Amino acid sequence: MRSIFISGAGRSGTSLLHSLLATSNSICALPETSIVRRHLLSPFSRSSIHALHNDSRLSRLAVSTETLALLSRELTVEKSILAIIDAHISMSIPHQKDGIEFICDKDPLYTFHVPALSRLAPDSFLIHIIRDPIDTVYSRMKADWSSHQSIFYSSLITSAAQLYCHLMSLIFFRNRYFLVEYERLIRDP
């Protein structure tokens, strides 16, 4: 199976795009666990089997605690994560597993890991969603997790994320990179 990664600034529409792609019979959209970013991509948080085994966010997957414990004891973190994702697909959509062509994972912070994503999954696709920066900043100001941030900081992060991801994606993903505009997606899903 090939991977589809969704990135974009927080509050830019990544969840909406993820939900729309999840309606396809050929795509298994993973629940938002940030498992790939937190355990495989961040150079400062390269994970251990112990950290993976104790990751409370994995409870969002359709895999029992016992199965997670068993699978997170594989030889490497990478193999464990692949086994956990495969178990999730088997448990959540067993009757469709053979028809699944893509695994879709969404994490707004993929925006800052484009080169690492390309190295991790060389045949994957990246979809970056952008939204009018004013709307993104306004939405960030209303969200609990970012309401304490200044308007200037939110504006800077939103603009920097859009520009950085677009440039890195053109370099590392080339023809496997798609840019989606939130406003167009809303008008014509």
Side-chain angles (χ1 to χ4, degrees), residues 2-189:
R2 295 175 78 182
S3 298
I4 299 171
F5 298 107
I6 298 174
S7 70
R11 310 301 292 179
S12 64
T14 56
S15 294
L16 173 65
L17 182 57
H18 186 254
S19 295
L20 288 172
L21 290 175
T23 63
S24 170
N25 289 335
S26 63
I27 297 174
C28 176
L30 300 175
E32 190 172 354
T33 62
S34 304
I35 184 174
V36 172
R37 177 182 50 84
R38 289 182 303 107
H39 294 285
L40 296 178
L41 296 180
S42 293
F44 303 110
S45 65
R46 284 295 283 192
S47 185
S48 66
I49 292 293
H50 177 73
L52 182 62
H53 178 69
N54 293 315
D55 189 339
S56 63
R57 290 189 185 182
L58 296 183
S59 65
R60 296 177 183 173
L61 298 172
V63 181
S64 70
T65 307
E66 296 79 23
T67 303
L68 281 174
L70 180 66
L71 294 175
S72 64
R73 288 191 174 90
E74 292 286 326
L75 296 175
T76 65
V77 172
E78 290 86 356
K79 286 183 180 177
S80 293
I81 288 174
L82 292 175
I84 289 168
I85 290 170
D86 190 55
H88 168 75
I89 294 169
S90 296
M91 297 301 291
S92 62
I93 49 172
H95 59 285
Q96 291 180 332
K97 185 176 179 191
D98 292 335
I100 299 297
E101 297 175 42
F102 299 97
I103 298 170
C104 180
D105 194 25
K106 165 245 185 212
D107 189 333
L109 293 179
Y110 281 156
T111 297
F112 301 106
H113 297 281
V114 172
L117 275 175
S118 179
R119 283 190 300 276
L120 178 69
D123 65 341
S124 62
F125 294 91
L126 178 69
I127 304 174
H128 183 70
I129 187 163
I130 60 171
R131 183 180 182 185
D132 181 314
I134 293 171
D135 292 333
T136 303
V137 170
Y138 179 70
S139 184
R140 288 175 66 99
M141 301 313 299
K142 294 188 330 182
D144 290 339
W145 58 268
S146 63
S147 60
H148 65 283
Q149 298 170 347
S150 72
I151 291 175
F152 175 75
Y153 177 79
S154 288
S155 301
L156 182 64
I157 289 295
T158 298
S159 298
Q162 288 181 0
L163 179 61
Y164 177 79
C165 188
H166 184 65
L167 292 175
M168 291 295 103
S169 298
L170 288 172
I171 294 168
F172 289 96
F173 277 85
R174 296 186 179 132
N175 62 342
R176 297 173 292 113
Y177 165 64
F178 300 92
L179 183 66
V180 174
E181 294 176 14
Y182 176 85
E183 291 77 13
R184 284 188 180 182
L185 185 62
I186 293 296
R187 278 194 306 268
D188 186 20

